[in-house]
Structure formats: C-alpha cells, structure tokens
Amino acid sequence: MAMPVAHHEVVHEEHRLGFVRRYIFSMDHKVIALQYLLTALAMGLVGMALSWIMRLQLGWQGHSFPWLGRLFPHGAEGGIIKPEFYLAMVTLHGTLMVFFVITAGLVGGFGNFLIPLQIGARDMAFPFLNMLSYWVFLASCGVMMASFFVEGGPAAGGWTAYPPLSALKEAIPGSGLGQTLWLLSMALFIVSSLLGSLNYITTVLILRTRGMTLGRMPLTVWALFITAILGLLSFPVLLAAAILLLFDRHWGTSFFVPSGLVLSGEKVPHQGGNPLLWQHLFWFLGHPEVYIAILPAMGITSEVLSCHARKPIFGYKAMVLSISAIAFLSFIVWGHHMFVSGMNPYLGTAFMLTTLVIAVPSAVKTFNWLATLWRGNLRFTSALLFGMGFVSLFVTGGLTGLFLGNPAVDIQLHDTYFVVAHFHFVMGSAALFGIFAGIYHWFPKMFGRMMSERWGRLHFWLTFIGIYLTFFPMHFQGIGGVPRRYYAYTDYQFTQPFTDLAQFISIAAFFLGAAQIIFLLNFFGSMFWGPKAARNPWGATTLEWTAESPPPHGNWGPQLPVVHRWPYDYSLPGAERDFFLQTEPEEGG
C-alpha cells in the first residue's frame, strides 16, 4: 500500500493499466474527478426533466398529455399527472439537484481535479478511499433512481423529508418503499461525502509542495478545504437523523412521530416523538449544505475573474477570512428555516441576527469580485461570462434573502413561490453558473482540447436570460400569496389571476432547459474534435497550468514544482508580461 506522504519524493511513471483499471476503477484523482462530473451532469439531465414535468402541471393544470401517460402509466394515468406523482417529482428534483448535481459536481468533481494540481501534489492522500468515495456515490445514485420502479413510486415527502409523511409508510403512496430508498440513498451519499472530506482535508494539510504555504494557496483550494470541514462536521447529523427515521418507519420507535396521530380513521401506534426534532437535525445540515454547494462556486469564480480580467484578486486575505466567516456562521443560522414552526420569538430574533450577519462576509466577497473586475483588461471568454453571471445571480438571490431573514416577513412569504425564487437564484442557478465557469476554464486542462467560445457565449446568454425569465416572476407570485409545493393552486380564487404568469414561467423553463443542449453538444463534441489546447491557453498563474494538458499520471515529471509566488500575479507594474506563474522566482528572491 502506497504511503501518501512519499508521493512527494518518489518519481512516478505512468501506470501501464488496462481500460477498466485506468478509466473505471481508477485511483487517479483526475479520472475520479471526471467520473464525478459526468455523473453529476447525467443526474442534472434527470433533474431537469423532472422539473419540466412539474412545470407542465403548474402551467396547464388538469390537461392531458398522452405521451406522459405512456412514459409513466401509474403516475400520469390517461396523461393527467396525479397529485402523488407531482409530489414525487418535487421531492426527486430537489434532492437530485442539491445533492447529486451541485454538491457532487462542485465538491466531488472540481475538488478532486483541482486540489492536488493546485497545491503541487501527485494525487490525493488516500487514492483508494478516493475511488471508494466515487463508487459509494454512484451506488447512492442507483438506489435513488431505483425508487422510480418500486410500488408506490419515489419518495413524495419533499426533499426535506419532513415527518410524519416520511415517517409513516401508509401516509401517501410515496411514503412507502420509495421513501425508504430515499433514506438509504442519502445515507450512502453522506458516507461518500465523508470519505471525500477526510481526503481533501488531509491532502491540503500534508501534501502541499515546497513553497506552497497556506497564504499562497489559490482561493479555489481554500474554498474546497473549508467546504470539506463543513461537510465533515454537518453531514453526520443528517446520517444519524436518517437512521432514526428508518427506525421509526420499520422498527416501531417514535423519535419523530407525535402522539395522537390518526391515519385512515385509525390511531397511529406511535407516541412521544417530535417532528420538529427532524427539522432541527435536517437544517443543521441543510444550511451548511447551502454553503457546501456555494463556497466551491465562489472559489471558482474568484479564480476565473482574476485570470480573465488580468488583475490580481482584490483583497486575498479578506476573501479567505470571509469564506471562513461564512462557514462558521452557517452552523448557527439553521433556525431561519423554521420561523413558521411556532418558534419562540426571542429564539427567532437570535436566528434573525445571525442570518443577517452572514450577509456581511458575503457582501465582502461580492465587493471584492467587483473591485477585481473594475478597470481590468477583461477578456470576455465563456468562463468570464459565467463568472460574472454568478455574481449577478448571487446578488439577486442574496437581496431577497434579507427579506426572508426577518421573521415578520418570512412568516408571510415562507410557504410561497418567493422562497422558490430566492433559493433558485442564490443557490441553484448561481452554483450551476460556478460549475459552468469551471468547466469552460479548466476544460483544456481536463481533456487537452478547447471548447468552442462561440457556442459557449451563446450558451451563456440563453441560460442567463432563461434563468431570469423563469425565476424572477416567481417573486411576484410569492408576494401575491401563491403557495409553493401545491399540486393545484388555482383551486383558490385569489391565485387564479396568476395562471397566465405560471404558463409564462413554464415556457421559460422549457427554453432554459433546451439551451443546455448547446452546452452538451459543445462539451462532448470538444472532447473529441476540439482544437488541441496549449499547456496554458489562458495565461494563468496557478500550478495546474505548469502541467501538460491533460496532465499525466502523477501530474508532473520527476520533479514537483516549487512555489515562489502567491497565486494571482497578473499585470504587475513595469513587467514585460501580464502574468507570472507561481513557479517563477521573484526578482531578488
């Protein structure tokens, strides 16, 4: 078994392995990164398809879609979407996009690819555990997808799995075997995430190359490192909660099921449980999970903006401190998801204060990004456009978060489409823009070929416009009181005026989804037919651009790179070039 620290001193030759060992059961961090990324893209396509089914129901309630009936004969009998099938679509869409797309793509994909390359390591500290983390993740995807084919269909208790719908197998059709598979899948996902977090933290702490001090690490590595700490501390809480919920469902315990419940005219044989306990446990993970998803995107955005604006990142130390502050505060704000649960007003005020305080380090990052762009020599590549788009979406979502952080306002807006709009801007869409920015920026290093900038810019503009057309009108629905999660909200007279707007949003959602076809064609086409990439096509400064494109096994030759500079030496006054790699000695050094 290889000693992890010895990777620094041993000359690595490329392994002579067969196809299966080299590309399937690989322990190379770069291959594992691409496995994560491609799996996340596949899950994203499924999640997008589920959202289209939801929008069909929301835009044209009660209409028959015969083709849908043929695809889902039990969920859309006669082409009409059933309520329990709609709730299952809501549950699976949220679960897949939050955990299996955004978290897996950013943390599993870019974390695996960038951490060793940007700190000058040959691989992760524990390559076998790294491979195992991916296969456990893939198993969790398989278990979640299997729930489509069981009696009763997938879980339908929402992506937050609130009891008692998730705790009583007979509550609704989606509370049966599909809910059990949901819990088992999430347990596997958490195990995978914990393996990855331990690997990331160890790698950053012990495998940095000579000269790579903590103060010289790229912000991408800082973001992924702190994200790993977040995951290590918060994910076990949901793992414990999922196990307890399985006990409630199958072994007669009552951790989350209260006394006095009546189901189908019969008293439920549970007593003494508290459904709010699940909410506390879920959101103790759930809010750090927001930052587990968004912090890597912030790190990627910082890297992309600095490189393509040809300017040093503004306020490097402030950026690191703000990432750390966001991570710390994320553990003490979970109660703002529970303002409508009957929370004591004094406790609600405490959570309001911490929620509003977390906006300060977020604002610091935003102003630093804007200062980095200000008077920069902007090269409007696809990566830069998606990085700038991230800032726009994050600010839009962040401003609405100030509304929802106030209990008096949140109580009115919490169960409306205002929250859907906020969530999709600040986390869903912004994090996806971080993924796109990273793919366009590091694609040459991943595959040794260039993506089409022409199609990349078209993809950006169609996606950017599509997101605003889809989610911005939901704010008006929310202010008008249109409830979220409802199967047929037009049963209420006060919501009927929003029917046309709901149809507009649905059409915009179809347009947004169709725009991703451009990305898929560009991505997979460029893998095989894109122009060959140079070693450093963007003129970037960090260590991964000193390796070949794509990097070989072990990333570098016999000698590991030695670091002499911080990671953002762009446009130095009086210099002949507008960038200096971290490996280039400073004058007089």
Side-chain angles (χ1 to χ4, degrees):
M1 184 174 178
M3 293 289 291
V5 180
H7 281 267
H8 274 279
E9 307 298 334
V10 176
V11 176
H12 281 249
E13 296 181 359
E14 187 167 357
H15 287 184
R16 304 296 181 184
L17 300 173
F19 178 85
V20 172
R21 284 293 308 277
R22 189 168 183 178
Y23 294 109
I24 300 178
F25 295 105
S26 174
M27 290 190 285
D28 189 317
H29 72 99
K30 300 178 292 296
V31 176
I32 295 170
L34 296 178
Q35 289 174 328
Y36 265 110
L37 194 59
L38 293 173
T39 306
L41 289 177
M43 291 296 102
L45 292 176
V46 176
M48 183 177 67
L50 300 184
S51 71
W52 282 353
I53 295 173
M54 292 158 51
R55 289 313 315 180
L56 284 174
Q57 169 61 23
L58 294 171
W60 296 273
Q61 295 181 17
H63 284 241
S64 175
F65 303 96
W67 60 270
L68 198 59
R70 289 191 289 272
L71 281 176
F72 302 99
H74 299 292
E77 190 174 351
I80 299 176
I81 298 171
K82 293 181 178 180
E84 59 269 21
F85 184 67
Y86 173 79
L87 293 175
M89 297 300 99
V90 173
T91 302
L92 266 294
H93 170 73
T95 304
L96 292 179
M97 297 306 291
V98 171
F99 296 106
F100 294 82
V101 178
I102 294 172
T103 304
L106 284 168
V107 181
F110 287 102
N112 265 297
F113 189 80
L114 293 177
I115 288 177
L117 282 168
Q118 291 200 326
I119 66 171
R122 298 212 179 267
D123 209 311
M124 286 291 179
F126 309 110
F128 178 78
L129 283 185
N130 203 24
M131 178 186 72
L132 187 62
S133 72
Y134 170 74
W135 284 101
V136 175
F137 164 66
L138 188 64
S140 72
C141 294
V143 172
M144 190 67 74
M145 290 297 98
S147 67
F148 279 99
F149 306 101
V150 299
E151 186 177 357
W159 76 276
T160 55
Y162 282 178
L165 284 181
S166 60
L168 301 176
K169 292 187 287 185
E170 301 81 12
I172 56 175
S175 297
L177 182 55
Q179 185 67 57
T180 298
L181 291 175
W182 187 94
L183 290 167
L184 292 174
S185 173
M186 289 307 302
L188 289 170
F189 179 86
I190 292 167
V191 170
S192 167
S193 298
L194 292 177
L195 292 174
S197 295
L198 288 168
N199 223 344
Y200 294 176
I201 293 168
T202 307
T203 302
V204 170
L205 291 179
I206 71 171
L207 291 188
R208 300 191 308 276
T209 192
R210 191 151 57 96
M212 179 58 76
T213 63
L214 293 176
R216 287 175 171 174
M217 288 199 313
L219 289 173
T220 315
V221 177
W222 269 113
L224 290 163
F225 175 62
I226 293 173
T227 297
I229 296 173
L230 274 178
L232 192 64
L233 297 178
S234 61
F235 267 120
V237 177
L238 184 61
L239 179 60
I243 293 171
L244 295 180
L245 189 53
L246 285 170
F247 282 7
D248 276 9
R249 290 174 55 81
H250 297 286
W251 289 286
T253 59
S254 188
F255 294 103
F256 306 118
V257 183
S259 305
L261 279 183
V262 176
L263 181 64
S264 301
E266 296 184 8
K267 188 175 179 180
V268 174
H270 292 264
Q271 57 182 353
N274 188 346
L276 290 183
L277 174 60
W278 170 269
Q279 291 193 36
H280 282 290
L281 294 174
F282 181 89
W283 287 116
F284 189 81
L285 157 79
H287 204 81
E289 166 61 23
V290 171
Y291 294 103
I292 288 171
I294 204 71
L295 285 179
M298 289 178 171
I300 289 171
T301 298
S302 302
E303 192 85 14
V304 167
L305 294 186
S306 180
C307 175
H308 296 271
R310 314 310 294 165
K311 276 187 64 179
I313 195 73
F314 184 87
Y316 173 87
K317 291 182 179 179
M319 295 286 261
V320 173
L321 290 174
S322 65
I323 293 173
S324 305
I326 288 171
F328 171 75
L329 290 170
S330 71
F331 282 105
I332 53 176
V333 299
W334 81 88
H336 69 224
H337 295 275
M338 300 171 61
F339 285 149
V340 296
S341 67
M343 181 182 290
N344 186 295
Y346 293 108
L347 184 58
T349 300
F351 280 119
M352 177 192 74
L353 291 175
T354 56
T355 299
L356 296 180
V357 166
I358 206 171
V360 175
S362 299
V364 168
K365 297 186 72 61
T366 300
F367 286 122
N368 284 12
W369 289 325
L370 295 176
T372 302
L373 291 171
W374 178 252
R375 293 187 175 180
N377 182 21
L378 304 184
R379 301 188 304 197
F380 287 102
T381 59
S382 303
L384 179 64
L385 290 173
F386 275 102
M388 295 170 70
F390 171 90
V391 177
S392 171
L393 296 171
F394 184 73
V395 170
T396 300
L399 290 175
T400 56
L402 297 176
F403 289 77
L404 298 174
N406 187 319
V409 179
D410 181 75
I411 287 171
Q412 304 300 318
L413 296 175
H414 185 82
D415 284 316
T416 71
Y417 269 87
F418 194 93
V419 174
V420 179
H422 161 74
F423 183 81
H424 280 84
F425 269 111
V426 78
M427 182 185 173
S429 301
L432 284 174
F433 266 48
I435 291 176
F436 286 135
I439 288 175
Y440 281 106
H441 183 68
W442 280 291
F443 187 92
K445 190 56 60 179
M446 291 177 176
F447 298 104
R449 294 183 180 272
M450 303 293 293
M451 292 184 74
S452 167
E453 284 295 314
R454 181 179 180 183
W455 290 109
R457 293 188 189 100
L458 180 62
H459 172 227
F460 165 77
W461 285 112
L462 294 180
T463 304
F464 186 73
I465 293 169
I467 284 173
Y468 271 96
L469 290 178
T470 301
F471 298 114
F472 198 79
M474 291 182 184
H475 294 105
F476 301 105
Q477 285 184 309
I479 293 171
V482 178
R484 58 182 171 137
R485 304 193 186 102
Y486 274 37
Y487 165 76
Y489 61 84
T490 53
D491 289 348
Y492 302 98
Q493 187 173 358
F494 75 95
T495 60
Q496 290 176 2
F498 292 95
T499 302
D500 291 340
L501 185 57
Q503 292 179 356
F504 174 84
I505 292 172
S506 294
I507 294 170
F510 301 148
F511 169 81
L512 172 61
Q516 306 319 304
I517 297 173
I518 296 172
F519 167 75
L520 293 174
L521 293 175
N522 193 4
F523 182 87
F524 289 104
S526 299
M527 283 173 58
F528 299 101
W529 301 292
K532 291 282 184 68
R535 183 178 294 236
N536 188 4
W538 308 125
T541 57
T542 45
L543 288 185
E544 72 272 25
W545 302 104
T546 64
E548 296 176 14
S549 297
H553 184 82
N555 298 333
W556 290 277
Q559 298 296 322
L560 287 172
V562 178
V563 173
H564 299 280
R565 299 170 177 265
W566 80 312
Y568 302 109
D569 266 338
Y570 292 102
S571 302
L572 297 182
E576 295 181 0
R577 292 179 290 135
D578 71 345
F579 76 99
F580 289 90
L581 288 160
Q582 284 189 279
T583 53
E584 297 184 55
E586 296 188 62
E587 293 182 9

